Structures are given as structure tokens and as C-alpha cells.
mmCIF file of all heavy atoms in Angstrom:
data_model
loop_
_atom_site.group_PDB
_atom_site.id
_atom_site.type_symbol
_atom_site.label_atom_id
_atom_site.label_comp_id
_atom_site.label_asym_id
_atom_site.label_seq_id
_atom_site.Cartn_x
_atom_site.Cartn_y
_atom_site.Cartn_z
ATOM 1 N N PHE A 257 -71.010 12.902 185.014
ATOM 2 C CA PHE A 257 -71.210 11.479 184.763
ATOM 3 C C PHE A 257 -70.049 10.700 185.370
ATOM 4 O O PHE A 257 -68.884 11.020 185.136
ATOM 5 C CB PHE A 257 -71.282 11.203 183.257
ATOM 6 C CG PHE A 257 -71.413 9.750 182.914
ATOM 7 C CD1 PHE A 257 -72.632 9.105 183.038
ATOM 8 C CD2 PHE A 257 -70.316 9.038 182.479
ATOM 9 C CE1 PHE A 257 -72.751 7.763 182.722
ATOM 10 C CE2 PHE A 257 -70.425 7.691 182.159
ATOM 11 C CZ PHE A 257 -71.646 7.060 182.287
ATOM 12 N N VAL A 258 -70.378 9.674 186.162
ATOM 13 C CA VAL A 258 -69.364 8.793 186.749
ATOM 14 C C VAL A 258 -69.618 7.393 186.186
ATOM 15 O O VAL A 258 -70.688 6.821 186.403
ATOM 16 C CB VAL A 258 -69.447 8.790 188.290
ATOM 17 C CG1 VAL A 258 -68.432 7.823 188.884
ATOM 18 C CG2 VAL A 258 -69.231 10.196 188.823
ATOM 19 N N PRO A 259 -68.665 6.843 185.441
ATOM 20 C CA PRO A 259 -68.873 5.526 184.817
ATOM 21 C C PRO A 259 -69.133 4.432 185.845
ATOM 22 O O PRO A 259 -68.590 4.457 186.950
ATOM 23 C CB PRO A 259 -67.551 5.264 184.087
ATOM 24 C CG PRO A 259 -66.914 6.595 183.925
ATOM 25 C CD PRO A 259 -67.357 7.407 185.101
ATOM 26 N N GLY A 260 -69.978 3.467 185.444
ATOM 27 C CA GLY A 260 -70.270 2.301 186.263
ATOM 28 C C GLY A 260 -69.761 1.040 185.579
ATOM 29 O O GLY A 260 -69.008 1.100 184.599
ATOM 30 N N ALA A 261 -70.196 -0.105 186.063
ATOM 31 C CA ALA A 261 -69.716 -1.395 185.551
ATOM 32 C C ALA A 261 -70.026 -1.584 184.068
ATOM 33 O O ALA A 261 -69.246 -2.203 183.349
ATOM 34 C CB ALA A 261 -70.324 -2.531 186.360
ATOM 35 N N GLY A 262 -71.139 -1.084 183.583
ATOM 36 C CA GLY A 262 -71.519 -1.258 182.187
ATOM 37 C C GLY A 262 -70.809 -0.334 181.212
ATOM 38 O O GLY A 262 -70.975 -0.454 180.000
ATOM 39 N N TRP A 263 -70.009 0.607 181.730
ATOM 40 C CA TRP A 263 -69.342 1.569 180.853
ATOM 41 C C TRP A 263 -68.316 0.904 179.946
ATOM 42 O O TRP A 263 -68.123 1.313 178.804
ATOM 43 C CB TRP A 263 -68.681 2.674 181.663
ATOM 44 C CG TRP A 263 -68.019 3.690 180.794
ATOM 45 C CD1 TRP A 263 -66.689 3.898 180.641
ATOM 46 C CD2 TRP A 263 -68.662 4.618 179.912
ATOM 47 N NE1 TRP A 263 -66.459 4.914 179.736
ATOM 48 C CE2 TRP A 263 -67.661 5.364 179.269
ATOM 49 C CE3 TRP A 263 -69.993 4.896 179.607
ATOM 50 C CZ2 TRP A 263 -67.951 6.358 178.350
ATOM 51 C CZ3 TRP A 263 -70.273 5.887 178.683
ATOM 52 C CH2 TRP A 263 -69.258 6.610 178.068
ATOM 53 N N ASP A 264 -67.646 -0.138 180.447
ATOM 54 C CA ASP A 264 -66.628 -0.814 179.622
ATOM 55 C C ASP A 264 -67.208 -1.334 178.313
ATOM 56 O O ASP A 264 -66.548 -1.317 177.280
ATOM 57 C CB ASP A 264 -65.996 -1.970 180.396
ATOM 58 C CG ASP A 264 -65.111 -1.489 181.535
ATOM 59 O OD1 ASP A 264 -64.708 -0.305 181.523
ATOM 60 O OD2 ASP A 264 -64.831 -2.296 182.437
ATOM 61 N N GLU A 265 -68.466 -1.764 178.355
ATOM 62 C CA GLU A 265 -69.124 -2.297 177.156
ATOM 63 C C GLU A 265 -69.574 -1.188 176.211
ATOM 64 O O GLU A 265 -69.446 -1.314 174.999
ATOM 65 C CB GLU A 265 -70.330 -3.145 177.564
ATOM 66 C CG GLU A 265 -71.090 -3.743 176.410
ATOM 67 C CD GLU A 265 -72.297 -4.556 176.861
ATOM 68 O OE1 GLU A 265 -72.324 -5.019 178.000
ATOM 69 O OE2 GLU A 265 -73.223 -4.698 176.039
ATOM 70 N N LEU A 266 -70.099 -0.077 176.755
ATOM 71 C CA LEU A 266 -70.685 0.972 175.916
ATOM 72 C C LEU A 266 -69.761 2.155 175.653
ATOM 73 O O LEU A 266 -69.961 2.892 174.690
ATOM 74 C CB LEU A 266 -71.982 1.482 176.550
ATOM 75 C CG LEU A 266 -73.111 0.476 176.622
ATOM 76 C CD1 LEU A 266 -74.322 1.106 177.301
ATOM 77 C CD2 LEU A 266 -73.480 -0.033 175.249
ATOM 78 N N GLY A 267 -68.750 2.360 176.468
ATOM 79 C CA GLY A 267 -67.857 3.501 176.311
ATOM 80 C C GLY A 267 -67.259 3.641 174.923
ATOM 81 O O GLY A 267 -67.231 4.742 174.364
ATOM 82 N N PRO A 268 -66.761 2.531 174.321
ATOM 83 C CA PRO A 268 -66.193 2.652 172.967
ATOM 84 C C PRO A 268 -67.213 3.129 171.924
ATOM 85 O O PRO A 268 -66.842 3.799 170.957
ATOM 86 C CB PRO A 268 -65.716 1.233 172.657
ATOM 87 C CG PRO A 268 -65.462 0.619 173.994
ATOM 88 C CD PRO A 268 -66.517 1.210 174.893
ATOM 89 N N LEU A 269 -68.486 2.823 172.115
ATOM 90 C CA LEU A 269 -69.511 3.298 171.178
ATOM 91 C C LEU A 269 -69.665 4.811 171.262
ATOM 92 O O LEU A 269 -69.790 5.494 170.244
ATOM 93 C CB LEU A 269 -70.847 2.611 171.457
ATOM 94 C CG LEU A 269 -70.868 1.099 171.280
ATOM 95 C CD1 LEU A 269 -72.219 0.536 171.710
ATOM 96 C CD2 LEU A 269 -70.563 0.712 169.847
ATOM 97 N N PHE A 270 -69.668 5.350 172.481
ATOM 98 C CA PHE A 270 -69.739 6.802 172.650
ATOM 99 C C PHE A 270 -68.505 7.471 172.053
ATOM 100 O O PHE A 270 -68.602 8.514 171.405
ATOM 101 C CB PHE A 270 -69.874 7.169 174.135
ATOM 102 C CG PHE A 270 -71.247 6.968 174.680
ATOM 103 C CD1 PHE A 270 -71.604 5.777 175.265
ATOM 104 C CD2 PHE A 270 -72.187 7.986 174.617
ATOM 105 C CE1 PHE A 270 -72.871 5.584 175.786
ATOM 106 C CE2 PHE A 270 -73.464 7.809 175.127
ATOM 107 C CZ PHE A 270 -73.807 6.603 175.717
ATOM 108 N N ALA A 271 -67.328 6.876 172.270
ATOM 109 C CA ALA A 271 -66.085 7.439 171.735
ATOM 110 C C ALA A 271 -66.102 7.452 170.210
ATOM 111 O O ALA A 271 -65.688 8.432 169.583
ATOM 112 C CB ALA A 271 -64.888 6.651 172.255
ATOM 113 N N ALA A 272 -66.583 6.366 169.601
ATOM 114 C CA ALA A 272 -66.641 6.293 168.135
ATOM 115 C C ALA A 272 -67.629 7.317 167.582
ATOM 116 O O ALA A 272 -67.354 7.963 166.562
ATOM 117 C CB ALA A 272 -67.035 4.885 167.689
ATOM 118 N N GLN A 273 -68.756 7.481 168.260
ATOM 119 C CA GLN A 273 -69.734 8.463 167.795
ATOM 120 C C GLN A 273 -69.174 9.880 167.926
ATOM 121 O O GLN A 273 -69.326 10.702 167.025
ATOM 122 C CB GLN A 273 -71.041 8.336 168.579
ATOM 123 C CG GLN A 273 -72.124 9.221 168.009
ATOM 124 C CD GLN A 273 -73.430 9.052 168.727
ATOM 125 O OE1 GLN A 273 -73.480 9.225 169.937
ATOM 126 N NE2 GLN A 273 -74.469 8.716 168.007
ATOM 127 N N GLU A 274 -68.493 10.167 169.017
ATOM 128 C CA GLU A 274 -67.907 11.492 169.192
ATOM 129 C C GLU A 274 -66.832 11.758 168.139
ATOM 130 O O GLU A 274 -66.729 12.855 167.600
ATOM 131 C CB GLU A 274 -67.329 11.635 170.599
ATOM 132 C CG GLU A 274 -66.741 12.997 170.879
ATOM 133 C CD GLU A 274 -67.716 14.137 170.650
ATOM 134 O OE1 GLU A 274 -68.938 13.969 170.856
ATOM 135 O OE2 GLU A 274 -67.256 15.220 170.237
ATOM 136 N N GLU A 275 -66.041 10.748 167.813
ATOM 137 C CA GLU A 275 -65.013 10.909 166.773
ATOM 138 C C GLU A 275 -65.657 11.190 165.409
ATOM 139 O O GLU A 275 -65.173 12.026 164.636
ATOM 140 C CB GLU A 275 -64.122 9.664 166.705
ATOM 141 C CG GLU A 275 -63.045 9.742 165.653
ATOM 142 C CD GLU A 275 -62.040 10.856 165.845
ATOM 143 O OE1 GLU A 275 -61.943 11.425 166.957
ATOM 144 O OE2 GLU A 275 -61.338 11.184 164.871
ATOM 145 N N ALA A 276 -66.750 10.493 165.109
ATOM 146 C CA ALA A 276 -67.461 10.732 163.848
ATOM 147 C C ALA A 276 -67.991 12.165 163.798
ATOM 148 O O ALA A 276 -67.895 12.836 162.756
ATOM 149 C CB ALA A 276 -68.592 9.731 163.681
ATOM 150 N N ARG A 277 -68.534 12.652 164.909
ATOM 151 C CA ARG A 277 -69.014 14.043 164.947
ATOM 152 C C ARG A 277 -67.857 15.021 164.766
ATOM 153 O O ARG A 277 -67.980 16.032 164.087
ATOM 154 C CB ARG A 277 -69.731 14.328 166.262
ATOM 155 C CG ARG A 277 -71.045 13.659 166.395
ATOM 156 C CD ARG A 277 -71.732 14.107 167.687
ATOM 157 N NE ARG A 277 -72.768 13.193 168.066
ATOM 158 C CZ ARG A 277 -73.957 13.085 167.494
ATOM 159 N NH1 ARG A 277 -74.243 13.839 166.459
ATOM 160 N NH2 ARG A 277 -74.840 12.229 167.919
ATOM 161 N N ARG A 278 -66.725 14.720 165.429
ATOM 162 C CA ARG A 278 -65.556 15.590 165.330
ATOM 163 C C ARG A 278 -65.075 15.697 163.890
ATOM 164 O O ARG A 278 -64.614 16.742 163.451
ATOM 165 C CB ARG A 278 -64.444 15.052 166.232
ATOM 166 C CG ARG A 278 -63.289 16.016 166.422
ATOM 167 C CD ARG A 278 -62.155 15.410 167.223
ATOM 168 N NE ARG A 278 -61.471 14.329 166.522
ATOM 169 C CZ ARG A 278 -60.655 14.476 165.479
ATOM 170 N NH1 ARG A 278 -60.441 15.676 164.980
ATOM 171 N NH2 ARG A 278 -60.068 13.445 164.911
ATOM 172 N N GLN A 279 -65.207 14.609 163.139
ATOM 173 C CA GLN A 279 -64.781 14.603 161.740
ATOM 174 C C GLN A 279 -65.883 15.074 160.796
ATOM 175 O O GLN A 279 -65.759 14.962 159.587
ATOM 176 C CB GLN A 279 -64.309 13.202 161.348
ATOM 177 C CG GLN A 279 -63.058 12.779 162.075
ATOM 178 C CD GLN A 279 -62.555 11.436 161.593
ATOM 179 O OE1 GLN A 279 -62.868 10.978 160.498
ATOM 180 N NE2 GLN A 279 -61.750 10.793 162.419
ATOM 181 N N HIS A 280 -66.979 15.587 161.358
ATOM 182 C CA HIS A 280 -68.085 16.170 160.602
ATOM 183 C C HIS A 280 -68.797 15.162 159.691
ATOM 184 O O HIS A 280 -69.209 15.512 158.588
ATOM 185 C CB HIS A 280 -67.620 17.388 159.802
ATOM 186 C CG HIS A 280 -66.938 18.414 160.645
ATOM 187 N ND1 HIS A 280 -67.620 19.192 161.555
ATOM 188 C CD2 HIS A 280 -65.629 18.764 160.744
ATOM 189 C CE1 HIS A 280 -66.766 19.989 162.168
ATOM 190 N NE2 HIS A 280 -65.553 19.748 161.700
ATOM 191 N N PHE A 281 -68.921 13.900 160.157
ATOM 192 C CA PHE A 281 -69.727 12.938 159.404
ATOM 193 C C PHE A 281 -71.168 13.429 159.381
ATOM 194 O O PHE A 281 -71.634 14.026 160.348
ATOM 195 C CB PHE A 281 -69.713 11.571 160.099
ATOM 196 C CG PHE A 281 -68.513 10.724 159.779
ATOM 197 C CD1 PHE A 281 -67.227 11.200 159.945
ATOM 198 C CD2 PHE A 281 -68.685 9.424 159.331
ATOM 199 C CE1 PHE A 281 -66.132 10.418 159.675
ATOM 200 C CE2 PHE A 281 -67.592 8.627 159.057
ATOM 201 C CZ PHE A 281 -66.308 9.123 159.226
ATOM 202 N N PRO A 282 -71.907 13.172 158.308
ATOM 203 C CA PRO A 282 -73.334 13.525 158.292
ATOM 204 C C PRO A 282 -74.080 12.767 159.398
ATOM 205 O O PRO A 282 -73.786 11.601 159.658
ATOM 206 C CB PRO A 282 -73.805 13.074 156.907
ATOM 207 C CG PRO A 282 -72.561 12.988 156.079
ATOM 208 C CD PRO A 282 -71.462 12.616 157.032
ATOM 209 N N GLU A 283 -75.005 13.445 160.046
ATOM 210 C CA GLU A 283 -75.757 12.852 161.162
ATOM 211 C C GLU A 283 -76.349 11.493 160.809
ATOM 212 O O GLU A 283 -76.300 10.569 161.603
ATOM 213 C CB GLU A 283 -76.896 13.778 161.610
ATOM 214 C CG GLU A 283 -76.490 14.898 162.514
ATOM 215 C CD GLU A 283 -76.034 14.446 163.890
ATOM 216 O OE1 GLU A 283 -76.677 13.585 164.511
ATOM 217 O OE2 GLU A 283 -75.008 14.975 164.342
ATOM 218 N N HIS A 284 -76.919 11.365 159.615
ATOM 219 C CA HIS A 284 -77.612 10.125 159.266
ATOM 220 C C HIS A 284 -76.641 8.957 159.068
ATOM 221 O O HIS A 284 -77.053 7.808 159.014
ATOM 222 C CB HIS A 284 -78.492 10.327 158.027
ATOM 223 C CG HIS A 284 -77.732 10.539 156.757
ATOM 224 N ND1 HIS A 284 -77.154 11.761 156.448
ATOM 225 C CD2 HIS A 284 -77.439 9.701 155.742
ATOM 226 C CE1 HIS A 284 -76.537 11.647 155.280
ATOM 227 N NE2 HIS A 284 -76.694 10.411 154.834
ATOM 228 N N LEU A 285 -75.333 9.217 158.976
ATOM 229 C CA LEU A 285 -74.348 8.139 158.828
ATOM 230 C C LEU A 285 -73.676 7.756 160.150
ATOM 231 O O LEU A 285 -72.958 6.775 160.205
ATOM 232 C CB LEU A 285 -73.272 8.554 157.826
ATOM 233 C CG LEU A 285 -73.734 8.766 156.400
ATOM 234 C CD1 LEU A 285 -72.579 9.214 155.528
ATOM 235 C CD2 LEU A 285 -74.347 7.484 155.844
ATOM 236 N N ILE A 286 -73.906 8.525 161.183
ATOM 237 C CA ILE A 286 -73.237 8.270 162.463
ATOM 238 C C ILE A 286 -73.852 7.076 163.181
ATOM 239 O O ILE A 286 -73.159 6.281 163.787
ATOM 240 C CB ILE A 286 -73.248 9.528 163.343
ATOM 241 C CG1 ILE A 286 -72.354 10.590 162.697
ATOM 242 C CG2 ILE A 286 -72.770 9.213 164.748
ATOM 243 C CD1 ILE A 286 -72.369 11.916 163.411
ATOM 244 N N GLY A 287 -75.141 6.909 163.125
ATOM 245 C CA GLY A 287 -75.790 5.779 163.789
ATOM 246 C C GLY A 287 -76.222 6.114 165.201
ATOM 247 O O GLY A 287 -75.768 7.078 165.804
ATOM 248 N N ARG A 288 -77.093 5.271 165.695
ATOM 249 C CA ARG A 288 -77.644 5.468 167.031
ATOM 250 C C ARG A 288 -76.891 4.630 168.049
ATOM 251 O O ARG A 288 -76.461 3.528 167.772
ATOM 252 C CB ARG A 288 -79.111 5.050 167.066
ATOM 253 C CG ARG A 288 -80.017 5.982 166.323
ATOM 254 C CD ARG A 288 -81.454 5.589 166.505
ATOM 255 N NE ARG A 288 -81.720 5.255 167.892
ATOM 256 C CZ ARG A 288 -82.727 4.501 168.291
ATOM 257 N NH1 ARG A 288 -83.551 3.974 167.421
ATOM 258 N NH2 ARG A 288 -82.915 4.248 169.551
ATOM 259 N N LEU A 289 -76.797 5.166 169.241
ATOM 260 C CA LEU A 289 -76.260 4.399 170.357
ATOM 261 C C LEU A 289 -77.375 3.548 170.951
ATOM 262 O O LEU A 289 -78.556 3.855 170.776
ATOM 263 C CB LEU A 289 -75.716 5.345 171.423
ATOM 264 C CG LEU A 289 -74.465 6.113 171.007
ATOM 265 C CD1 LEU A 289 -74.148 7.172 172.039
ATOM 266 C CD2 LEU A 289 -73.293 5.170 170.851
ATOM 267 N N PRO A 290 -77.042 2.479 171.674
ATOM 268 C CA PRO A 290 -78.079 1.664 172.292
ATOM 269 C C PRO A 290 -78.894 2.504 173.272
ATOM 270 O O PRO A 290 -78.349 3.391 173.927
ATOM 271 C CB PRO A 290 -77.299 0.586 173.049
ATOM 272 C CG PRO A 290 -75.926 0.639 172.533
ATOM 273 C CD PRO A 290 -75.704 1.996 171.941
ATOM 274 N N PRO A 291 -80.190 2.247 173.367
ATOM 275 C CA PRO A 291 -81.008 3.017 174.306
ATOM 276 C C PRO A 291 -80.590 2.725 175.743
ATOM 277 O O PRO A 291 -80.233 1.611 176.087
ATOM 278 C CB PRO A 291 -82.427 2.545 174.027
ATOM 279 C CG PRO A 291 -82.281 1.254 173.314
ATOM 280 C CD PRO A 291 -80.955 1.247 172.646
ATOM 281 N N CYS A 292 -80.609 3.761 176.551
ATOM 282 C CA CYS A 292 -80.318 3.637 177.975
ATOM 283 C C CYS A 292 -81.489 4.224 178.750
ATOM 284 O O CYS A 292 -82.118 5.165 178.307
ATOM 285 C CB CYS A 292 -79.045 4.392 178.344
ATOM 286 S SG CYS A 292 -77.548 3.697 177.644
ATOM 287 N N ALA A 293 -81.769 3.645 179.890
ATOM 288 C CA ALA A 293 -82.820 4.167 180.769
ATOM 289 C C ALA A 293 -82.166 4.948 181.888
ATOM 290 O O ALA A 293 -81.088 4.588 182.365
ATOM 291 C CB ALA A 293 -83.651 3.020 181.340
ATOM 292 N N ILE A 294 -82.810 6.012 182.316
ATOM 293 C CA ILE A 294 -82.311 6.796 183.442
ATOM 294 C C ILE A 294 -83.328 6.657 184.568
ATOM 295 O O ILE A 294 -84.507 6.898 184.378
ATOM 296 C CB ILE A 294 -82.123 8.271 183.063
ATOM 297 C CG1 ILE A 294 -81.053 8.388 181.983
ATOM 298 C CG2 ILE A 294 -81.738 9.101 184.277
ATOM 299 C CD1 ILE A 294 -80.830 9.780 181.462
ATOM 300 N N SER A 295 -82.859 6.231 185.728
ATOM 301 C CA SER A 295 -83.752 6.072 186.870
ATOM 302 C C SER A 295 -83.314 6.994 188.001
ATOM 303 O O SER A 295 -82.132 7.256 188.171
ATOM 304 C CB SER A 295 -83.777 4.609 187.350
ATOM 305 O OG SER A 295 -82.475 4.208 187.731
ATOM 306 N N VAL A 296 -84.284 7.445 188.763
ATOM 307 C CA VAL A 296 -84.018 8.357 189.891
ATOM 308 C C VAL A 296 -83.676 7.531 191.121
ATOM 309 O O VAL A 296 -84.345 6.551 191.421
ATOM 310 C CB VAL A 296 -85.252 9.246 190.164
ATOM 311 C CG1 VAL A 296 -85.001 10.147 191.357
ATOM 312 C CG2 VAL A 296 -85.601 10.055 188.924
#
């Protein structure tokens, strides 16, 4: 994965979710990240 212009806005959300997983938060309390589309 190579970050693009939109990473500055969403990167902290991924980091917070990863930290919650690292601390073994229950899945249902971690929350969802915003949906992203993948295009070819």
C-alpha cells in the first residue's frame, strides 16, 4: 500500500483501530472505518 492524498484524512482512523485491536478491545467496540472503493 502506498498512501495517496486522502491518507492524511483517514490514516489516523486506521491507526486508532489498530491500537484498539492491539489492546484487545472487543470487536463490537472498535467501530467501523469509512467505506472505501477499490478500482482497477
Side-chain angles (χ1 to χ4, degrees):
F257 177 78
V258 177
W263 181 250
D264 290 342
E265 180 181 337
L266 294 179
L269 298 175
F270 283 92
Q273 187 177 56
E274 182 56 32
E275 179 62 17
R277 289 185 199 285
R278 191 185 68 72
Q279 294 184 21
H280 306 289
F281 277 54
E283 279 292 315
H284 69 282
L285 295 178
I286 292 175
R288 289 185 44 202
L289 291 171
C292 293
I294 296 177
S295 60
V296 178

